[in-house]
Amino acid sequence: MSDAPTAPVITGAEPGSFPHSTLAERQPAIIRQVRDASPYGPAQHRALDDLLRSCTEGVIEDLPADTDPADRARWQAWGLTDHVGRSWFEVPWLWAESYFYRVLLDAVGYFAPGPWQGVDPFRPFKYAELGAPETREELAALDALQGKSPEERGRALLHGSLWGNRADLSFQLSAEGAESRDATPGLVADDSDTLWSLLPPDDSGTLCLVADNAGRELVPDLLLTAHLLNEHRIARAVLYVKPWPYYVSDATTADVVDALTRLRSASGAAAEYGDILWSAMADGRLTVRTHPFLASPLPYTELPDDLRAEFARARLTLFKGDLNYRRLVGDRYWPPTTPFRDVTACFPGPVATLRTLKSDVITGLTAATEAALVAAEGQSWRTSGTHALIQVNPRK
């Protein structure tokens, strides 16, 4: 649309900025952590060292010569040709981050024939979360919700999915955990009433849930899905995950299996939710879907036709997490009061997002909320992970 809003694209060019520190500090740290987490051999160590030098001292390099032609064609369509030879810091931050994880997988042999093909380099970190004491505590807390009304359980599970691995908030009821009267509330935008209105208890319609992280953040997403199925607010759910390991903690199909297995091995209400989900997988009410575009460096305005058609048919598409938010609204320096509905106007159906703020991009705030946040915290509220939002465009 010619009158669609726009704003500068976020890059890592400015020293001291959050994107710059991610590229200069966090990604080298990730390379070192991956190197130490698995018993890789000399070839992987050399490749990881080369990637470290590229990230800290060099420029973006092309994919290896033996890259699968279909994958190479995808990345060329996604802008690779334009960015090869440029600094990691001057290209769009979303593109640089995404490509970093693609070449990291190459370095550890994920795509190449051999013993490391298909081995998730981030699995040690993700799997450890499921066995952590905090996970046991959160699952045990589900038992206390069973005496609540379905509406109260729904609100609690919605906020559990919103806050992810913040154990102190995961299963608190909305009235206790979200409606803060502080000058800078944890929940900076709340369209939850609109979200629930799009999911009436009439046992029809499909929820498309585009997942974010695995481990302790995926479990609450699955619990919310089980509740919506069990309370007949949806007839079917489609869980979208990444086609390969991505952004360290992003969920893949293997991570869904791990999370479901963890739920079923628990006791009490957690195991009951696990059984609901296991049965729903068996009869087709819950399916797992992936697509190469879900790990692309592009915004969702550039959805391929097949994904666009799936989201258009859904009663609601729910995007989880910070990265999905960046792709949904565009990874740009929007004025925070830019209406969420304006920047998602091109999405093909009703859309909602549950997001903890961990990057600079933000839309849909009131002027009063923005002013209170800036007065109390400067600009750190954008990236601290201590604020969150629920935003909905019902497209009506």
Side-chain angles (χ1 to χ4, degrees):
M1 297 187 302
S2 59
D3 58 348
T6 189
V9 172
I10 296 175
T11 72
E14 183 181 349
S17 68
F18 185 74
H20 188 279
S21 66
T22 298
L23 295 170
E25 301 168 15
R26 182 168 184 264
Q27 289 184 349
I30 289 170
I31 293 171
R32 297 183 186 102
Q33 290 165 359
V34 165
R35 178 186 176 117
D36 294 340
S38 297
Y40 293 124
Q44 283 98 344
H45 285 184
R46 286 192 297 270
L48 289 169
D49 290 342
D50 289 343
L51 178 57
L52 181 61
R53 282 191 292 272
S54 171
C55 290
T56 56
E57 305 170 12
V59 297
I60 295 168
E61 299 176 9
D62 199 355
L63 291 169
D66 59 356
T67 298
D68 176 75
D71 192 29
R72 177 178 294 279
R74 278 194 297 266
W75 275 98
Q76 288 175 338
W78 293 343
L80 177 60
T81 303
D82 295 334
H83 295 326
V84 166
R86 300 177 66 190
S87 165
W88 290 88
F89 296 91
E90 68 181 22
V91 305
W93 183 39
L94 177 63
W95 197 97
E97 280 197 293
S98 299
Y99 190 63
F100 167 79
Y101 288 102
R102 173 61 184 81
V103 294
L104 177 60
L105 293 181
D106 261 327
V108 298
Y110 182 87
F111 293 110
W116 291 98
Q117 186 174 35
V119 177
D120 184 349
F122 311 123
R123 179 174 169 80
F125 315 121
K126 294 188 285 189
Y127 192 72
E129 281 196 353
L130 292 175
E134 294 85 354
T135 302
R136 292 195 294 273
E137 294 169 6
E138 291 174 350
L139 294 181
L142 287 169
D143 293 342
L145 293 179
Q146 298 311 98
K148 305 291 184 178
S149 69
E151 291 75 18
E152 289 176 312
R153 288 200 304 275
R155 287 199 300 271
L157 293 171
L158 177 67
H159 283 272
S161 180
L162 168 66
W163 288 105
N165 65 359
R166 286 190 61 192
D168 59 321
L169 289 171
S170 287
F171 297 112
Q172 291 185 18
L173 296 180
S174 174
E176 298 168 344
E179 296 173 358
S180 171
R181 293 173 176 81
D182 293 342
T184 56
L187 197 57
V188 298
D190 184 7
D191 294 339
S192 54
D193 287 345
T194 303
L195 187 152
W196 288 116
S197 74
L198 294 171
L199 300 171
D202 62 1
D203 201 20
S204 66
T206 296
L207 172 72
C208 292
L209 198 164
V210 185
D212 184 36
N213 290 338
R216 288 176 59 205
E217 295 193 37
L218 180 60
V219 167
D221 299 341
L222 292 172
L223 294 172
L224 176 62
T225 302
H227 174 82
L228 295 174
L229 288 167
N230 204 44
E231 296 300 324
H232 309 291
R233 287 184 174 269
I234 54 174
R236 181 171 178 260
V238 183
L239 180 65
Y240 291 80
V241 297
K242 299 300 189 295
W244 46 76
Y246 193 59
Y247 276 72
V248 180
S249 55
D250 280 29
T252 65
T253 301
D255 299 316
V256 175
V257 174
D258 286 343
L260 287 173
T261 301
R262 177 66 184 88
L263 281 173
R264 295 188 82 207
S265 69
S267 59
E272 294 175 11
Y273 280 116
D275 289 341
I276 290 170
L277 293 163
W278 202 273
S279 296
M281 290 281 285
D283 62 28
R285 288 177 296 131
L286 172 61
T287 57
V288 179
R289 170 94 160 89
T290 192
H291 192 288
F293 185 81
L294 297 175
S296 82
L298 304 180
Y300 287 121
T301 52
E302 300 188 39
L303 281 168
D305 290 343
D306 53 349
L307 275 180
R308 177 171 290 276
E310 291 174 32
F311 294 152
R313 291 192 296 267
R315 169 170 284 184
L316 177 67
T317 299
L318 177 59
F319 286 96
K320 274 299 309 297
D322 195 78
L323 175 59
N324 278 323
Y325 188 87
R326 292 165 59 192
R327 297 184 66 190
L328 178 62
V329 306
D331 202 32
R332 296 172 176 269
Y333 286 113
W334 298 108
T337 55
T338 305
F340 177 75
R341 292 192 185 193
D342 287 0
V343 294
T344 56
C346 290
F347 197 79
V351 61
T353 181
L354 305 181
R355 178 226 182 178
T356 303
L357 277 59
K358 298 177 182 176
S359 65
D360 288 303
V361 63
I362 182 71
T363 68
L365 299 191
T366 66
T369 297
E370 180 194 3
L373 289 165
V374 172
E377 305 176 34
Q379 295 298 327
S380 65
W381 59 271
R382 294 173 178 259
T383 59
S384 64
T386 57
H387 299 282
L389 55 78
I390 302 171
Q391 292 177 325
V392 181
N393 182 353
R395 294 185 56 82
K396 292 182 180 179

